[in-house]
Structures are given as structure tokens and as C-alpha cells.
């Protein structure tokens, strides 16, 4: 029996490698799409008077593209007045409120994962890695620590590298729209939404979320529309929930 | 006294070090990332809760992309439709590449 152990160990290792690799593959388009935005963030940081290492530090500890973008927009000088600092932190909180819903939705899928992967994963959970995680759990029913690491680690490092590159080559990419980079994100999310719809055929929360997001964007400041649309979609799901019929 | 001086330090116009602002941003961001997980991570969920949670991903992603898909321009809306049409038949990567390629072409045409 002893001779079987090394074999099953190497089999496990092979599985882990395969999981890590498919995570990398799934997140690759998102990493490509994020690159120009990393460059823009790096360029904005230099214009705000920050040092290159400071924007890499911000990316490393905050790791939230939309929040960083808005923060740098408000960053008027290297040393900020206290009121501006508080406004930036408050805005960051609001922009990231959707993470509360995302963490709750991911909870049933990731709670069995080893804490060594689960907590770092949660610390850097982004729209992109989270969406791929849910898809993997629901569609493939094969969510492991190696896959999560394969999603999160390259996506994290990718962001830091491109933020740094932006501090060096600043104004090369003025407008990601020219090459359609800005649409990568949208295209990926559209395919994911389509996939979720195919799995459960619940269309109403999607429609309500879209309508409320569009409405909210007209009347609410900043990115509040994301939270408003998300909550409206989830409320729709609560209202239209029917107990499964037992026959 | 101590509270007061802390308040003044945070609120004065002397200037807050960048790293301190970034740590503040990191703290509130982590709070959002962990709180939803901790609220539900250890509990056994009812069928109702699970079904409602299942609606979260599509709702959040839809709210994020709705302005780009529905309120940016004809090119973006049509490219999103093309992406969905491709996703019906082809692997995801093909749909994404086709969607991005079509938005570049459409923006140049229109």
C-alpha cells in the first residue's frame, strides 16, 4: 500500500497545477483589460505629486481600481489636507460597498477552502476574480484553492506592474477607448451575466438592476449607481422568491 | 485632550502623509471585502437565502456594466449584443474577442 502514496501525491500535485493554470487562463483577458487602467492610474499618481513606489503601495494595500481612480482624481497635492483625506477614505468606502454583497455570495463556495488561500483571496477580491470564482463553483462545480490562487495572484501582480509602468511611461495611453480596452471589461461581464442567466433563467433581477443603475446614475453622485442597481436586483430576487414546491 | 489633538491632526490643513491615507483606504476596503463573507461564512443557509444570494452576481455585474451597455452609444450597445450572440454558440474567449473587435470597428465606422 505504501507504494501508492507517492503516486497519489503526485496526482494531487498535478491537479493543483491544472487548477492554478485554468485560473490563470480564466483571468487572462481581465488582466489584459486592466493593464491600460493600471497605466492611467500610474500616470495620474505622478501628476498628483506622488512617488512611483507610493502608487505601487496603494495598489498593493487597497487593490481596488475604481476607488483608486476616484481617490487620485481627488488627490490635489502630495500632502493632503485632513478634510480631503477623510473625503477620499469615505468615498473609497462607498465605491466598495458592493464587496459586502459579493463576499456574502462567495461565502458558501469558499468557506471550505484552506484559510491560507481564503483570507488572502478575500483581501484582494475584485469584481473580476469574484465573478470567475462564482462561475467556476456553479458551472464547473470544481472550486479549489489552486484555482483561486491562479485567479487572484496573477491579477494582483498584473495591477501592480502596470501601475508602476504608468509612472514611467505616463502619457502613452491617454484613452483606452481607442483600442477597445475599455470594452474588454464589459464584454467579459456580459458573457458572465449571460452564463448566470442560462444557469437559472432569472431575468427579472437583471432587468431591474440595469434600470435602477441607469436611473441612479442620473440622480446619485459617483459610483453609487452600482450599489443601487445591485441592491435593487437582489430585492427583486427576494420579492419574487417562491418556495420550491414539494410534490 | 488626546481625542481633540487627534481630531485636529486629522482635520488640520497641515497635510496628511500619503501612506496614511492609503492605509485608511485599505482599512475601509477590507472591511467591505470581509464583512459580507463573515456575516454568512459560518452559517448554514436556508434555501431562501441561497436562492437570493444566487441572484447577487448577475445583479452586481449588471449594475456595473449597464451604463456602458445601454447608455454610452450605439456602438457599445450593438457590440454588447454581438458579444451575447457569440457567447450563445462559441467559447467565452471567442465571444470576448469578437465583442471587443466589433466595438473597435463600430466606433470607427460610426
Amino acid at each position: 500500500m505504501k507504494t501508492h502514496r507517492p503516486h497519489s501525491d503526485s496526482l494531487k500535485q498535478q491537479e493543483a497545477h491544472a487548477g492554478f493554470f485554468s485560473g490563470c487562463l480564466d483571468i487572462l483577458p481581465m488582466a489584459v483589460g486592466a493593464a491600460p487602467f493600471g497605466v492611467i492610474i500610474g500616470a495620474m499618481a505622478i501628476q498628483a505629486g506622488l512617488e512611483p513606489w507610493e502608487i505601487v503601495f496603494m495598489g498593493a494595500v487597497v487593490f481596488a481600481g475604481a476607488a483608486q481612480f476616484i481617490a487620485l482624481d481627488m488627490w490635489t497635492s502630495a500632502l493632503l489636507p485632513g478634510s480631503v483625506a477623510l473625503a477620499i477614505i469615505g468615498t473609497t468606502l462607498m465605491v466598495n460597498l458592493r464587496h459586502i454583497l459579493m463576499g456574502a455570495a462567495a461565502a458558501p463556495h469558499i468557506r471550505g477552502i484552506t484559510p491560507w488561500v481564503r483570507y488572502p483571496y478575500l483581501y484582494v477580491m475584485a469584481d473580476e476574480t469574484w465573478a470567475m470564482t462564482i462561475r467556476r463553483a456553479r458551472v464547473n462545480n470544481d472550486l479549489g484553492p489552486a484555482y483561486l490562487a491562479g485567479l487572484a495572484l496573477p491579477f494582483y501582480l498584473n495591477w501592480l506592474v502596470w501601475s508602476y509602468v504608468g509612472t514611467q511611461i505616463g502619457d502613452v495611453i491617454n484613452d483606452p477607448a481607442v483600442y477597445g480596452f475599455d470594452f474588454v471589461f464589459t464584454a467579459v461581464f456580459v458573457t458572465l451575466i449571460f452564463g448566470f442567466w442560462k444557469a437559472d433563467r432569472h431575468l427579472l433581477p437583471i432587468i431591474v438592476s440595469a434600470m435602477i443603475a441607469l436611473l441612479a446614475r442620473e440622480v446619485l453622485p459617483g459610483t453609487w449607481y452600482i450599489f443601487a442597481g445591485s441592491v435593487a436586483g437582489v430585492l427583486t430576487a427576494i420579492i419574487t422568491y417562491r418556495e420550491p414546491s414539494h410534490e | 485632550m488626546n481625542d481633540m489633538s487627534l481630531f485636529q491632526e486629522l482635520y488640520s490643513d497641515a497635510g496628511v502623509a500619503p501612506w496614511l491615507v492609503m492605509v485608511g483606504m485599505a482599512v475601509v476596503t477590507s472591511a467591505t471585502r470581509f464583512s459580507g463573507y463573515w456575516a454568512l461564512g459560518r452559517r448554514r443557509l436556508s434555501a431562501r437565502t441561497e436562492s437570493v444570494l444566487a441572484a447577487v452576481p448577475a445583479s452586481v455585474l449588471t449594475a456595473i456594466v449597464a451604463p456602458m451597455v445601454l447608455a454610452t452609444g450605439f456602438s457599445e450597445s450593438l457590440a454588447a449584443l454581438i458579444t451575447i450572440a457569440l457567447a450563445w454558440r462559441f467559447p467565452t474567449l471567442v465571444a470576448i474577442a469578437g465583442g471587443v473587435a466589433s466595438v473597435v470597428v463600430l466606433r470607427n465606422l460610426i
Side-chain angles (χ1 to χ4, degrees):
Chain A
M1 290 309 274
K2 254 188 182 168
T3 52
H4 285 267
R5 270 211 66 196
H7 176 70
S8 81
D9 272 5
S10 74
L11 203 71
K12 254 186 200 164
Q13 207 169 27
Q14 265 178 19
E15 273 176 20
H17 286 169
F20 187 84
F21 182 70
S22 61
C24 295
L25 208 61
D26 283 350
I27 207 65
L28 180 69
M30 303 303 240
V32 172
F37 291 94
V39 171
I40 291 172
I41 293 251
M44 283 174 80
I46 295 298
Q47 285 190 345
L50 296 173
E51 300 290 327
W53 72 266
E54 286 176 318
I55 192 61
V56 175
F57 177 76
M58 187 203 268
V61 298
V62 181
F63 193 64
Q68 287 182 248
F69 200 83
I70 295 162
L72 288 173
D73 204 43
M74 298 166 75
W75 215 289
T76 44
S77 58
L79 280 180
L80 289 173
S83 54
V84 177
L86 284 181
I88 286 177
I89 293 171
T91 308
T92 300
L93 174 64
M94 290 174 212
V95 172
N96 289 322
L97 280 178
R98 68 182 184 286
H99 289 143
I100 298 174
L101 285 175
M102 288 159 54
H109 303 302
I110 65 169
R111 60 180 160 196
I113 303 282
T114 169
W116 292 100
V117 172
R118 195 190 336 141
Y119 289 116
Y121 167 83
L122 272 171
Y123 189 88
V124 299
M125 181 177 70
D127 298 335
E128 295 86 348
T129 52
W130 167 79
M132 290 299 170
T133 301
I134 303 282
R135 191 190 65 154
R136 178 84 169 185
R138 280 214 212 145
V139 179
N140 305 64
N141 200 11
D142 178 27
L143 189 66
Y147 180 79
L148 288 182
L151 285 180
L153 190 62
F155 197 62
Y156 181 71
L157 295 177
N158 178 69
W159 182 245
L160 302 188
V161 167
W162 289 108
S163 301
Y164 180 77
V165 169
T167 64
Q168 306 300 309
I169 62 164
D171 22 3
V172 171
I173 300 180
N174 281 320
D175 184 8
V178 175
Y179 302 104
F181 280 120
D182 61 322
F183 198 77
V184 174
F185 189 71
T186 308
V188 175
F189 281 3
V190 164
T191 61
L192 286 171
I193 296 165
F194 177 69
F196 293 142
W197 170 77
K198 256 197 345 197
D200 64 16
R201 303 277 159 166
H202 288 166
L203 194 55
L204 203 56
I206 295 176
I207 294 174
V208 172
S209 170
M211 293 303 121
I212 296 299
L214 287 184
L215 267 177
R217 205 173 62 122
E218 299 299 317
V219 294
L220 299 177
T223 52
W224 269 107
Y225 70 90
I226 296 177
F227 194 62
S230 309
V231 170
V234 174
L235 283 178
T236 307
I238 293 174
I239 293 167
T240 57
Y241 176 77
R242 295 278 172 275
E243 292 289 337
S245 53
H246 303 285
E247 291 165 42
Chain B
M1 270 313 267
N2 240 342
D3 285 354
M4 194 58 204
S5 61
L6 178 68
F7 179 80
Q8 277 172 349
E9 195 173 312
L10 281 174
Y11 230 86
S12 76
D13 279 359
V16 183
W19 67 268
L20 194 58
V21 183
M22 293 168 189
V23 168
M25 290 171 69
V27 168
V28 296
T29 304
S30 303
T32 63
R33 283 182 172 135
F34 283 90
S35 59
Y37 169 76
W38 273 328
L40 293 176
R42 276 163 241 167
R43 239 170 266 179
R44 220 181 134 59
L45 305 175
S46 66
R48 185 194 181 93
T49 312
E50 274 190 22
S51 151
V52 169
L53 282 181
V56 172
S59 299
V60 175
L61 297 185
T62 302
I64 292 172
V65 298
M68 176 66 116
V69 170
L70 298 170
T72 306
F74 181 70
S75 302
E76 287 76 12
S77 301
L78 186 58
L81 264 181
I82 292 172
T83 310
I84 295 173
L86 288 172
W88 211 291
R89 276 291 156 92
F90 300 100
T92 310
L93 270 180
V94 175
I96 295 164
V100 173
S102 59
V103 88
V104 173
V105 171
L106 286 165
R107 278 171 179 168
N108 279 301
L109 285 179
I110 297 170

